[in-house]
mmCIF file of all heavy atoms in Angstrom:
data_model
loop_
_atom_site.group_PDB
_atom_site.id
_atom_site.type_symbol
_atom_site.label_atom_id
_atom_site.label_comp_id
_atom_site.label_asym_id
_atom_site.label_seq_id
_atom_site.Cartn_x
_atom_site.Cartn_y
_atom_site.Cartn_z
ATOM 1 N N ALA O 149 75.525 36.411 -17.743
ATOM 2 C CA ALA O 149 76.172 36.568 -16.421
ATOM 3 C C ALA O 149 77.394 37.452 -16.502
ATOM 4 O O ALA O 149 77.605 38.353 -15.689
ATOM 5 C CB ALA O 149 76.553 35.181 -15.868
ATOM 6 N N GLU O 150 78.131 37.241 -17.590
ATOM 7 C CA GLU O 150 79.316 38.106 -17.717
ATOM 8 C C GLU O 150 78.950 39.550 -17.892
ATOM 9 O O GLU O 150 79.561 40.478 -17.315
ATOM 10 C CB GLU O 150 80.076 37.681 -18.977
ATOM 11 C CG GLU O 150 80.971 36.417 -18.740
ATOM 12 C CD GLU O 150 81.447 35.858 -20.017
ATOM 13 O OE1 GLU O 150 81.382 36.477 -21.128
ATOM 14 O OE2 GLU O 150 81.999 34.694 -19.978
ATOM 15 N N LEU O 151 77.898 39.792 -18.627
ATOM 16 C CA LEU O 151 77.385 41.159 -18.798
ATOM 17 C C LEU O 151 76.972 41.826 -17.466
ATOM 18 O O LEU O 151 77.366 42.930 -17.188
ATOM 19 C CB LEU O 151 76.189 41.143 -19.778
ATOM 20 C CG LEU O 151 75.667 42.408 -20.364
ATOM 21 C CD1 LEU O 151 74.920 42.097 -21.694
ATOM 22 C CD2 LEU O 151 74.766 43.092 -19.414
ATOM 23 N N LEU O 152 76.268 40.993 -16.714
ATOM 24 C CA LEU O 152 75.845 41.543 -15.451
ATOM 25 C C LEU O 152 77.010 41.853 -14.499
ATOM 26 O O LEU O 152 77.072 42.811 -13.803
ATOM 27 C CB LEU O 152 74.823 40.619 -14.841
ATOM 28 C CG LEU O 152 73.482 40.515 -15.511
ATOM 29 C CD1 LEU O 152 72.611 39.372 -14.942
ATOM 30 C CD2 LEU O 152 72.726 41.793 -15.419
ATOM 31 N N GLU O 153 77.956 40.900 -14.526
ATOM 32 C CA GLU O 153 79.166 41.115 -13.655
ATOM 33 C C GLU O 153 79.909 42.327 -14.073
ATOM 34 O O GLU O 153 80.405 43.124 -13.219
ATOM 35 C CB GLU O 153 80.050 39.902 -13.733
ATOM 36 C CG GLU O 153 79.723 38.848 -12.729
ATOM 37 C CD GLU O 153 80.353 37.451 -13.073
ATOM 38 O OE1 GLU O 153 81.308 37.439 -13.949
ATOM 39 O OE2 GLU O 153 79.853 36.481 -12.553
ATOM 40 N N ARG O 154 79.960 42.518 -15.320
ATOM 41 C CA ARG O 154 80.596 43.759 -15.834
ATOM 42 C C ARG O 154 79.916 44.961 -15.276
ATOM 43 O O ARG O 154 80.457 45.982 -14.839
ATOM 44 C CB ARG O 154 80.654 43.804 -17.332
ATOM 45 C CG ARG O 154 81.848 44.417 -17.914
ATOM 46 C CD ARG O 154 82.016 44.148 -19.455
ATOM 47 N NE ARG O 154 80.911 44.661 -20.234
ATOM 48 C CZ ARG O 154 80.073 43.912 -21.053
ATOM 49 N NH1 ARG O 154 80.286 42.627 -21.046
ATOM 50 N NH2 ARG O 154 79.166 44.490 -21.731
ATOM 51 N N GLY O 155 78.634 44.905 -15.217
ATOM 52 C CA GLY O 155 77.833 46.022 -14.685
ATOM 53 C C GLY O 155 78.065 46.264 -13.271
ATOM 54 O O GLY O 155 78.170 47.426 -12.779
ATOM 55 N N ILE O 156 78.324 45.160 -12.503
ATOM 56 C CA ILE O 156 78.601 45.314 -11.119
ATOM 57 C C ILE O 156 79.996 45.988 -10.887
ATOM 58 O O ILE O 156 80.083 46.948 -10.115
ATOM 59 C CB ILE O 156 78.589 43.973 -10.398
ATOM 60 C CG1 ILE O 156 77.196 43.388 -10.402
ATOM 61 C CG2 ILE O 156 79.076 44.149 -8.927
ATOM 62 C CD1 ILE O 156 77.083 41.974 -9.813
ATOM 63 N N THR O 157 80.976 45.519 -11.593
ATOM 64 C CA THR O 157 82.293 46.072 -11.470
ATOM 65 C C THR O 157 82.317 47.531 -11.882
ATOM 66 O O THR O 157 83.050 48.339 -11.389
ATOM 67 C CB THR O 157 83.379 45.297 -12.262
ATOM 68 O OG1 THR O 157 82.939 45.214 -13.646
ATOM 69 C CG2 THR O 157 83.469 43.892 -11.730
ATOM 70 N N HIS O 158 81.487 47.886 -12.919
ATOM 71 C CA HIS O 158 81.373 49.244 -13.320
ATOM 72 C C HIS O 158 80.572 50.114 -12.372
ATOM 73 O O HIS O 158 80.391 51.280 -12.624
ATOM 74 C CB HIS O 158 80.763 49.346 -14.751
ATOM 75 C CG HIS O 158 81.732 48.916 -15.810
ATOM 76 N ND1 HIS O 158 81.649 49.490 -17.073
ATOM 77 C CD2 HIS O 158 82.704 48.029 -15.865
ATOM 78 C CE1 HIS O 158 82.637 48.901 -17.861
ATOM 79 N NE2 HIS O 158 83.237 48.028 -17.123
ATOM 80 N N GLY O 159 79.988 49.425 -11.352
ATOM 81 C CA GLY O 159 79.237 50.260 -10.408
ATOM 82 C C GLY O 159 77.822 50.674 -10.901
ATOM 83 O O GLY O 159 77.110 51.361 -10.261
ATOM 84 N N VAL O 160 77.407 50.112 -12.033
ATOM 85 C CA VAL O 160 76.044 50.486 -12.490
ATOM 86 C C VAL O 160 75.027 49.608 -11.812
ATOM 87 O O VAL O 160 73.895 50.055 -11.591
ATOM 88 C CB VAL O 160 76.041 50.200 -14.047
ATOM 89 C CG1 VAL O 160 74.638 50.647 -14.609
ATOM 90 C CG2 VAL O 160 77.176 50.870 -14.750
ATOM 91 N N PHE O 161 75.372 48.350 -11.457
ATOM 92 C CA PHE O 161 74.490 47.508 -10.771
ATOM 93 C C PHE O 161 74.875 47.303 -9.295
ATOM 94 O O PHE O 161 76.027 47.438 -8.951
ATOM 95 C CB PHE O 161 74.461 46.120 -11.447
ATOM 96 C CG PHE O 161 73.930 46.219 -12.919
ATOM 97 C CD1 PHE O 161 74.364 45.226 -13.807
ATOM 98 C CD2 PHE O 161 73.028 47.203 -13.330
ATOM 99 C CE1 PHE O 161 73.905 45.261 -15.085
ATOM 100 C CE2 PHE O 161 72.599 47.222 -14.644
ATOM 101 C CZ PHE O 161 73.026 46.231 -15.566
ATOM 102 N N ARG O 162 73.907 47.041 -8.483
ATOM 103 C CA ARG O 162 74.157 46.840 -7.066
ATOM 104 C C ARG O 162 75.083 45.596 -6.907
ATOM 105 O O ARG O 162 75.004 44.607 -7.608
ATOM 106 C CB ARG O 162 72.874 46.605 -6.320
ATOM 107 C CG ARG O 162 72.028 45.458 -6.831
ATOM 108 C CD ARG O 162 70.580 45.535 -6.397
ATOM 109 N NE ARG O 162 70.509 45.519 -4.970
ATOM 110 C CZ ARG O 162 69.363 45.750 -4.294
ATOM 111 N NH1 ARG O 162 68.271 46.002 -5.001
ATOM 112 N NH2 ARG O 162 69.349 45.690 -2.993
ATOM 113 N N SER O 163 75.843 45.730 -5.814
ATOM 114 C CA SER O 163 76.851 44.673 -5.667
ATOM 115 C C SER O 163 76.316 43.311 -5.174
ATOM 116 O O SER O 163 76.932 42.310 -5.310
ATOM 117 C CB SER O 163 77.940 45.134 -4.682
ATOM 118 O OG SER O 163 77.337 45.488 -3.439
ATOM 119 N N ASP O 164 75.155 43.412 -4.495
ATOM 120 C CA ASP O 164 74.577 42.109 -3.926
ATOM 121 C C ASP O 164 73.598 41.523 -4.952
ATOM 122 O O ASP O 164 72.709 40.747 -4.519
ATOM 123 C CB ASP O 164 73.920 42.394 -2.611
ATOM 124 C CG ASP O 164 72.639 43.325 -2.796
ATOM 125 O OD1 ASP O 164 72.584 43.978 -3.823
ATOM 126 O OD2 ASP O 164 71.783 43.303 -1.963
ATOM 127 N N LEU O 165 73.772 41.784 -6.232
ATOM 128 C CA LEU O 165 72.883 41.312 -7.273
ATOM 129 C C LEU O 165 72.920 39.746 -7.364
ATOM 130 O O LEU O 165 73.976 39.109 -7.347
ATOM 131 C CB LEU O 165 73.301 41.888 -8.625
ATOM 132 C CG LEU O 165 72.213 41.802 -9.730
ATOM 133 C CD1 LEU O 165 70.995 42.636 -9.325
ATOM 134 C CD2 LEU O 165 72.776 42.275 -11.102
#
Side-chain angles (χ1 to χ4, degrees):
Chain O
E150 283 168 8
L151 191 156
L152 292 171
E153 270 161 18
R154 214 165 63 238
I156 294 175
T157 55
H158 284 214
V160 186
F161 298 152
R162 56 198 301 170
S163 57
D164 65 341
L165 199 63

